[in-house]
Amino acid sequence: MAARARSKSALLCRWTADATGLPVVAGPVEATALGNVLVQERAAGLVGDLGSMRRLVAGTQPLRHYEPRDDRAGRAAWDAAADRLGPSPSNP
Protein backbone atom coordinates (compact mmCIF):
# COMPACT_ATOMS: atom_id res chain seq x y z
CA MET A 1 0.00 0.00 0.00
CA ALA A 2 1.32 3.42 -0.92
CA ALA A 3 0.79 6.19 1.58
CA ARG A 4 1.67 9.83 2.18
CA ALA A 5 3.01 11.87 -0.73
CA ARG A 6 3.84 8.75 -2.77
CA SER A 7 0.15 7.94 -3.03
CA LYS A 8 -0.50 11.25 -4.79
CA SER A 9 1.68 10.27 -7.76
CA ALA A 10 -0.41 8.16 -10.12
CA LEU A 11 2.66 7.63 -12.31
CA LEU A 12 4.75 6.29 -9.42
CA CYS A 13 1.92 3.98 -8.33
CA ARG A 14 1.48 2.75 -11.92
CA TRP A 15 5.22 2.11 -12.31
CA THR A 16 5.37 0.31 -8.97
CA ALA A 17 2.52 -2.01 -9.96
CA ASP A 18 4.08 -2.68 -13.35
CA ALA A 19 7.62 -3.16 -12.02
CA THR A 20 6.64 -5.52 -9.21
CA GLY A 21 3.79 -7.29 -10.96
CA LEU A 22 1.72 -6.69 -7.82
CA PRO A 23 -1.38 -4.56 -7.23
CA VAL A 24 -0.85 -1.21 -5.51
CA VAL A 25 -3.45 0.44 -3.28
CA ALA A 26 -2.81 4.15 -2.82
CA GLY A 27 -4.18 5.21 0.52
CA PRO A 28 -4.81 8.46 2.32
CA VAL A 29 -2.14 11.13 2.20
CA GLU A 30 -2.50 11.68 5.95
CA ALA A 31 -2.13 8.00 6.86
CA THR A 32 0.04 8.74 9.90
CA ALA A 33 -2.50 11.13 11.41
CA LEU A 34 -5.37 8.73 10.70
CA GLY A 35 -3.46 5.87 12.29
CA ASN A 36 -2.83 7.96 15.37
CA VAL A 37 -6.52 8.81 15.69
CA LEU A 38 -7.53 5.18 15.22
CA VAL A 39 -5.14 3.96 17.91
CA GLN A 40 -6.53 6.55 20.32
CA GLU A 41 -10.10 5.52 19.43
CA ARG A 42 -9.23 1.87 20.01
CA ALA A 43 -7.72 2.71 23.41
CA ALA A 44 -10.96 4.51 24.28
CA GLY A 45 -13.02 1.51 23.15
CA LEU A 46 -14.60 3.32 20.20
CA VAL A 47 -13.30 0.94 17.49
CA GLY A 48 -12.56 -2.76 17.52
CA ASP A 49 -9.66 -4.75 16.18
CA LEU A 50 -7.24 -4.04 13.34
CA GLY A 51 -9.68 -5.44 10.78
CA SER A 52 -12.42 -3.05 11.84
CA MET A 53 -9.99 -0.13 11.76
CA ARG A 54 -8.97 -1.06 8.21
CA ARG A 55 -12.61 -1.31 7.15
CA LEU A 56 -13.28 2.10 8.66
CA VAL A 57 -10.43 3.68 6.70
CA ALA A 58 -11.43 1.88 3.49
CA GLY A 59 -15.03 3.04 3.92
CA THR A 60 -14.21 6.67 4.66
CA GLN A 61 -11.05 7.46 2.68
CA PRO A 62 -10.55 7.41 -1.08
CA LEU A 63 -8.35 4.49 -2.10
CA ARG A 64 -6.98 4.18 -5.63
CA HIS A 65 -6.15 0.74 -7.00
CA TYR A 66 -3.48 0.10 -9.62
CA GLU A 67 -3.27 -3.35 -11.18
CA PRO A 68 -0.11 -4.36 -13.03
CA ARG A 69 -0.61 -4.14 -16.76
CA ASP A 70 -0.35 -7.35 -18.78
CA ASP A 71 2.24 -5.91 -21.15
CA ARG A 72 5.02 -8.26 -22.24
CA ALA A 73 7.22 -5.50 -23.68
CA GLY A 74 6.81 -3.38 -20.56
CA ARG A 75 7.54 -6.36 -18.30
CA ALA A 76 10.67 -7.14 -20.33
CA ALA A 77 11.86 -3.54 -19.90
CA TRP A 78 11.42 -3.70 -16.10
CA ASP A 79 13.19 -7.08 -15.95
CA ALA A 80 16.09 -5.72 -18.03
CA ALA A 81 16.40 -2.73 -15.69
CA ALA A 82 16.45 -5.06 -12.66
CA ASP A 83 19.15 -7.18 -14.33
CA ARG A 84 21.30 -4.09 -14.89
CA LEU A 85 21.08 -3.27 -11.17
CA GLY A 86 22.16 -6.75 -10.17
CA PRO A 87 20.94 -8.71 -7.14
CA SER A 88 19.46 -6.80 -4.25
CA PRO A 89 21.02 -7.19 -0.79
CA SER A 90 17.78 -8.74 0.47
CA ASN A 91 17.46 -11.13 -2.48
CA PRO A 92 20.96 -12.20 -3.66
Side-chain angles (χ1 to χ4, degrees), residues 2 41 50 72-73:
E41 288 182 349
L50 179 60
R72 292 185 206 287

Side-chain angles (χ1 to χ4, degrees), residues 21-47:
L22 298 170
V24 170
V25 179
V29 174
E30 293 299 330
T32 303
L34 282 170
N36 184 318
V37 168
L38 286 171
V39 168
Q40 291 181 48
E41 288 182 349
R42 182 159 186 214
L46 299 173
V47 294

Side-chain angles (χ1 to χ4, degrees), residues 42-56:
R42 182 159 186 214
L46 299 173
V47 294
D49 63 0
L50 179 60
S52 64
M53 290 190 289
R54 286 181 174 165
R55 286 188 295 279
L56 180 62

